[in-house]
């Protein structure tokens, strides 16, 4: 499993009249194109990232700097290749690569 932490305000690509693409959506599209088995974006409600201040979503206004976690699930080698291939996109993001072992019933 690969977790990538970013801000909802992070954008990628050329800025257009209506704005650039959200970075988390581009990561998920890229993961799909690379054959990753599962990719989701999760909104956080309270926390901090990259040693920044603690942030929270208010009841009426969303904080555009509160962390989003994009989680990718795939084979270990596939996730390593994804990180190497797209290092330019991931360069300044906090990422966590978690390796798990197959359960005994999968052996």
């Amino acid at each position: 499993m690969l977790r990538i932490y970013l801000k909802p305000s992070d954008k990628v690509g050329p800025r257009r009249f209506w704005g650039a693409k959200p970075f988390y959506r581009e990561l998920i599209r890229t993961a799909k194109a690379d054959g990753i088995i599962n990719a989701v974006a999760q909104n956080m409600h309270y926390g901090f990232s990259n040693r920044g201040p603690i942030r929270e979503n208010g009841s009426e206004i969303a904080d555009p700097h509160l962390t989003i976690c994009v989680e990718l699930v795939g084979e270990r080698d596939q996730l390593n290749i994804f990180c190497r291939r797209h290092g330019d996109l991931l360069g300044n993001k906090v990422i966590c690569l978690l390796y798990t072992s197959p359960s005994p019933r999968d052996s």
Side-chain angles (χ1 to χ4, degrees), residues 42-48 54-59 61-63 66-69:
Q42 304 172 29
N43 285 313
M44 302 297 125
H45 303 285
Y46 185 79
F48 69 95
I54 293 176
R55 308 199 69 105
E56 67 180 302
N57 270 337
S59 59
I61 300 173
D63 184 340
L66 185 60
T67 302
I68 285 181
C69 175

Side-chain angles (χ1 to χ4, degrees), residues 23-90:
F23 182 59
Y24 71 92
R25 289 184 180 189
E26 188 62 25
L27 275 175
I28 290 174
R29 279 191 207 96
T30 302
K32 178 74 170 172
D34 284 2
I36 300 291
I37 193 169
N38 192 51
V40 295
Q42 304 172 29
N43 285 313
M44 302 297 125
H45 303 285
Y46 185 79
F48 69 95
S49 185
N50 211 9
R51 298 187 183 104
I54 293 176
R55 308 199 69 105
E56 67 180 302
N57 270 337
S59 59
E60 296 180 13
I61 300 173
D63 184 340
H65 302 290
L66 185 60
T67 302
I68 285 181
C69 175
V70 173
E71 187 174 274
L72 309 180
V73 177
E75 298 292 325
R76 178 186 296 203
D77 291 340
Q78 192 177 32
L79 296 173
N80 283 326
I81 290 168
F82 182 88
C83 288
R84 283 195 302 272
R85 185 179 294 159
H86 305 293
D88 56 327
L89 288 174
L90 304 175

Side-chain angles (χ1 to χ4, degrees), residues 5 10 23 50 87-95:
Y5 297 92
D10 288 344
F23 182 59
N50 211 9
D88 56 327
L89 288 174
L90 304 175
N92 66 344
K93 304 300 176 208
V94 175
I95 64 170

